[in-house]
Amino acid sequence: FMTLPPPNIGVTMLIVDLARMLRRQFEAALADVETGLTVGEARTLFYVWRMPGQRQAVLADAMYVEPMTLVGYLDSLEKSGLIKRQPDPSDKRAKLVLLTEDADPLLERISVALEGVRARALEGVMGEDRKVLETLLQNMKDSLLLLSPNGKGK
């Protein structure tokens, strides 16, 4: 048996656990609002909303998914008329991803689901503490992004 003291997992493992829990809660909330989309598709639609007119590769990086995984989600969303892809004027081989008006009602439902999860998660975090928490988490994210160009580590 190990004679080492148990590791101090501290804030990093807490954040990893929290991220998993938030994702699970978000998935459950999405199922409740009945978008007719898979979680991956709903998440993709949300990212296109947050980052409209981006290249597919930029979206894949932001979502931490493989480009081929994203293409599957985008194909499905395009078939449903929720997004459209158009050639990037600066590089005809690249595609820019845009929302269609048909996405609005679904984005509203996704937004409600997200807001519910966020409200529950932040129930015990009041006022100024919320700003501090956000700043600290952003600082941690920025530090990790400096480690590699795509933020995925080496």
Side-chain angles (χ1 to χ4, degrees):
F1 65 90
M2 302 277 298
T3 54
L4 292 173
N8 176 3
I9 56 170
V11 75
T12 48
M13 287 309 291
L14 190 57
I15 291 172
V16 168
D17 291 346
L18 185 58
R20 281 197 189 107
M21 291 170 75
L22 283 169
R23 190 168 186 155
R24 239 180 251 136
Q25 293 282 319
F26 181 51
E27 289 171 4
L30 278 178
D32 289 346
V33 295
E34 291 178 28
T35 58
L37 303 175
T38 67
V39 172
E41 291 163 358
R43 193 164 168 259
T44 302
L45 195 61
F46 175 76
Y47 269 85
V48 176
W49 184 27
R50 262 181 64 193
M51 306 168 66
Q54 291 291 336
R55 288 181 177 192
Q56 293 179 182
V58 172
L59 284 171
D61 267 356
M63 293 176 65
Y64 298 97
V65 297
E66 292 301 316
M68 286 312 299
T69 302
L70 179 68
V71 165
Y73 297 147
L74 292 174
D75 286 348
S76 201
L77 292 169
E78 193 170 38
K79 209 172 287 172
S80 303
L82 301 172
I83 62 141
K84 59 185 173 205
R85 291 183 264 203
Q86 61 189 42
D88 184 338
S90 64
D91 178 357
K92 296 291 181 225
R93 294 163 306 175
K95 298 272 189 243
L96 302 180
V97 185
L98 300 157
L99 293 172
T100 67
E101 280 183 25
D102 290 350
D104 286 355
L106 288 185
L107 288 170
E108 214 169 296
R109 285 187 224 145
I110 291 168
S111 189
V112 166
L114 252 182
E115 187 49 45
V117 171
R118 192 177 76 82
R120 274 195 307 281
L122 290 170
E123 230 165 65
V125 185
M126 299 302 167
E128 193 58 33
D129 286 348
R130 285 188 185 198
K131 287 190 192 94
V132 171
L133 177 63
E134 214 168 288
T135 301
L136 294 172
L137 291 172
Q138 187 62 55
N139 291 347
M140 289 178 75
K141 184 177 176 182
D142 293 346
S143 296
L144 292 174
L145 286 170
L146 291 174
L147 293 177
S148 71
N150 62 9
K152 292 180 182 169
K154 292 273 180 244

